[in-house]
Amino acid sequence: MEYELLFARAAMVFLHGLPKRVRARLMDRIDEIPRFPDHFSQFQERDSIGRTLDVAIIEGYAVYYWNDFADRHIKVMAIARELHTRPDL
């Protein structure tokens, strides 16, 4: 069963600030994550409440997402342009 893809507000604001072509390419790849969530994760980080977030590097952007297995959701918590500009999670 495929996961449902959900976005935190901060991630949506970031996406809408991107040029249309870049946003479309990035979203095409993000849309693939719910099919195989573990396949896309390059590494993991903890957010401010201790939750483990997977991080996928896609089109030069770090996509921070939470695999909420119990609810069958992939929750995109944040997106950052570069790893050294980690968003406040």
Side-chain angles (χ1 to χ4, degrees):
M1 182 169 124
E2 191 172 306
Y3 288 69
E4 183 177 356
L5 185 61
L6 304 174
F7 286 83
R9 180 170 176 74
M12 290 300 298
V13 168
F14 184 90
L15 280 169
H16 285 287
L18 295 174
K20 188 175 181 179
R21 276 177 71 177
V22 174
R23 181 174 59 239
R25 285 195 326 261
L26 186 57
M27 280 304 303
D28 284 346
R29 294 294 312 279
I30 290 173
D31 283 340
E32 295 175 16
I33 294 174
R35 286 182 231 136
F36 304 101
D38 297 329
H39 175 74
F40 287 88
S41 179
Q42 272 96 15
F43 61 94
Q44 296 179 324
E45 288 193 13
R46 297 240 183 235
D47 67 6
S48 61
I49 61 171
R51 199 173 25 204
T52 301
L53 299 180
D54 289 295
V55 183
I57 308 302
I58 301 173
E59 298 284 330
Y61 294 87
V63 179
Y64 296 81
Y65 64 95
W66 176 36
N67 182 345
D68 187 350
F69 181 78
D71 288 338
R72 304 297 290 179
H73 293 151
I74 295 298
K75 298 175 180 174
V76 177
M77 305 305 288
I79 303 171
R81 178 65 179 110
E82 299 174 9
L83 288 176
H84 68 273
T85 58
R86 181 180 187 262
D88 185 25
L89 301 170

